[in-house]
Amino acid sequence: MTKPHLLYGMAGSLYTGKVRAYMRQNHIPFVEHKAGGKGFSGQIVPKVGRWIIPVVETPEGEVIQDGTVILDYFEASGASKKSIYPKTPVMRAVAHLFELFGSEGLLRPAMHYRWNFDEINLPFLRTVFGDVLPNGLTGEAKEQAFLHASGRMRKAAVAFGVTPETFDTVVGSYADFLGRFNTHLQQTPFLLGGHATIGDFGLFGPLYAHLARDPKPLHLMQTTAPRVFRWTERMNMPETFIDEEVEQVGDALFADNEIPGTLKSLMKFAAEEYLGEIAAHVEFANNWLAEQTGSDPTKMGLGRGIGMTSFDWRGHEITTAVMPYRFFLLQRLTDWVESLEDKDRMAVGALFAETGLASILDLKTSRRVIRKDHLEVWAD
Ligand SMILES: N[C@@H](CCC(=O)N[C@@H](CS)C(=O)NCC(=O)O)C(=O)O
């Protein structure tokens, strides 16, 4: 019998959820280990160079970190039943847009609904965080370890722009998003049609691990956006479920020239919610790179963020962490569009212009972000 893959993660982890769902959908046998265990801290963390999940260890002993890199490893190995990369130019660009927006643009509601409703969420979160705490802790030591881990995440929420001044706006914009996605899912089982793409997997991180598991947002999703909740179940299912009442039946994705209005509405939401932020981050990074005169950027450890920058978000000036990983995902969109023939590039450009997203296709950092030894680094 072939050995299974090992997945190191946590039930409540946003990025672990994306990898787990992919492995389930593609019937890839795996064993999930809690990341607080000795196997992870003793053997995996030294190989990866930092404490971060998800990590997959292949049957051959290769260690892979990063949700997107892991999905690409499986796609390249032929494990995918239906590729998560659409074959047509426009759909593939839309898939990359939602890969970026889903992974990185819904962190405000994901963090707000996890960390700002302690009365409802905290008993659940104490248990969930058991997955990442060292084995064997009890009593006060366990509580202290939870307070330490959760304290770091509360700080991360602030670094994504979730502060008392923005709470109401986070709630309002998330309700808007849920409404649009719920309406879209009336006609399609997945974001882009009959099967999951990289766009679904991007959205799934925040929408499942936080927003469809923690008690406060789970109730909100079930009561206000039941089709989105059902989509989170479908994303986690190894079996196919057919509902003939949904207009899009079968595996096919939408045709490039038949983009539903409900999908355009979601693209417009991504523009309103996230375009200002990613543009401000690219500008900050380019200024930051220009200032690095005394040292070689390619040799720098970038960590999770290179600084903080401010911009207008829905009428608030907010300050958020500039994370090079986002440029790595943005490049996947812009590289794809640049690789297209003129007529296809124009078709993508027309859809992005119609939905307020034209300028995202021109956003570029003056150095590319690449991944080396499990870390993000600037390229030469
Ligand atoms: N780009 C990474 C992000 C992974 C990530 O941020 N994981 C979180 C848990 S969901 C984590 O490990 N956080 C620990 C930390 O930052 O200290 C991926 O997609 O794998």
Side-chain angles (χ1 to χ4, degrees):
M1 229 176 74
T2 42
K3 273 169 68 182
H5 285 79
L6 306 185
L7 170 62
Y8 292 92
M10 169 192 186
S13 142
L14 197 147
Y15 299 101
T16 305
K18 165 176 165 181
V19 170
R20 188 190 303 108
Y22 181 96
M23 293 168 96
R24 284 182 178 162
Q25 282 188 26
N26 289 293
H27 301 177
I28 297 166
F30 70 98
V31 175
E32 185 163 339
H33 285 252
K34 83 182 202 97
K38 284 209 176 61
F40 187 69
S41 53
Q43 280 145 45
I44 305 298
V45 172
K47 287 188 192 161
V48 171
R50 56 179 165 173
W51 197 106
I52 189 165
I53 50 175
V55 174
V56 159
E57 187 176 353
T58 70
E60 295 74 37
E62 189 190 349
V63 164
I64 314 170
Q65 199 292 305
D66 185 68
T68 290
V69 176
I70 294 168
L71 265 49
D72 276 358
Y73 152 80
F74 284 123
E75 289 281 303
S77 74
S80 171
K81 297 199 175 315
K82 296 158 212 145
S83 176
I84 57 175
Y85 295 106
K87 304 263 178 301
T88 60
V90 176
M91 274 297 102
R92 174 130 180 198
V94 177
H96 282 305
L97 169 74
F98 282 100
E99 172 184 31
L100 168 66
F101 173 69
S103 292
E104 306 293 323
L106 288 173
L107 294 176
R108 272 183 283 281
M111 297 306 264
H112 177 58
Y113 279 106
R114 169 160 290 182
W115 294 114
N116 293 325
F117 297 89
D118 281 358
E119 221 169 282
I120 301 165
N121 286 341
L122 216 49
F124 179 73
L125 292 175
R126 273 205 177 82
T127 308
V128 169
F129 267 67
D131 278 7
V132 287
L133 303 184
N135 289 341
L137 291 181
T138 52
E140 186 53 23
K142 190 168 189 185
E143 178 62 8
Q144 286 308 320
F146 170 68
L147 288 176
H148 175 74
S150 58
R152 291 186 63 242
M153 292 303 125
R154 288 178 198 275
K155 283 196 190 123
V158 175
F160 296 143
V162 182
T163 60
E165 297 75 55
T166 61
F167 285 175
D168 287 351
T169 312
V170 172
V171 166
S173 85
Y174 178 55
D176 182 5
F177 174 81
L178 277 182
R180 294 183 199 218
F181 197 21
N182 195 57
T183 305
H184 180 56
L185 291 169
Q186 195 161 359
Q187 58 174 316
T188 175
F190 295 99
L191 179 71
L192 302 184
H195 68 86
T197 67
I198 188 79
D200 293 88
F201 286 102
L203 290 169
F204 186 69
L207 287 174
Y208 168 66
H210 288 221
L211 295 163
R213 273 191 100 249
D214 296 346
K216 174 76 186 176
L218 169 64
H219 182 261
L220 178 75
M221 187 186 284
Q222 288 178 324
T223 51
T224 65
R227 288 193 200 92
V228 178
F229 176 71
R230 183 66 180 130
W231 167 86
T232 67
E233 290 187 324
R234 206 178 292 129
M235 284 292 290
N236 258 332
M237 274 167 39
E239 63 276 24
T240 307
F241 176 80
I242 308 282
D243 174 357
E244 294 88 352
E245 278 179 350
V246 172
E247 284 169 34
Q248 174 89 23
V249 179
D251 284 353
L253 300 180
F254 300 125
D256 276 6
N257 58 358
E258 285 173 23
I259 313 285
T262 50
L263 180 57
K264 290 181 186 169
S265 166
L266 284 167
M267 293 177 70
K268 285 180 191 154
F269 181 88
E272 290 159 21
E273 178 71 23
Y274 193 57
L275 185 55
E277 177 160 15
I278 189 75
H281 286 196
V282 169
E283 189 186 339
F284 178 92
N286 284 337
N287 290 335
W288 184 94
L289 279 164
E291 282 161 16
Q292 309 306 312
T293 45
S295 39
D296 177 359
T298 64
K299 304 268 185 310
M300 286 179 179
L302 297 183
R304 298 306 287 270
I306 54 170
M308 306 284 291
T309 196
S310 303
F311 55 94
D312 178 80
W313 175 71
R314 300 187 184 276
H316 301 273
E317 176 165 300
I318 64 168
T319 305
T320 64
V322 179
M323 298 159 76
Y325 182 72
R326 297 180 176 184
F327 308 138
F328 172 73
L329 294 185
L330 173 65
Q331 284 163 195
R332 288 161 60 88
L333 167 62
T334 52
D335 286 354
W336 170 253
V337 177
E338 272 168 31
S339 76
L340 296 172
E341 289 177 11
D342 286 355
K343 105 176 153 17
D344 294 331
R345 201 169 45 247
M346 280 166 66
V348 174
L351 176 65
F352 276 55
E354 185 187 343
T355 51
L357 283 160
S359 60
I360 200 170
L361 301 175
D362 300 323
L363 292 179
K364 260 198 190 133
T365 49
S366 52
R367 279 178 191 269
R368 289 174 68 82
V369 174
I370 54 172
R371 287 188 44 95
K372 201 169 155 201
D373 300 331
H374 311 292
L375 300 172
E376 288 88 58
V377 291
W378 297 111
D380 287 335

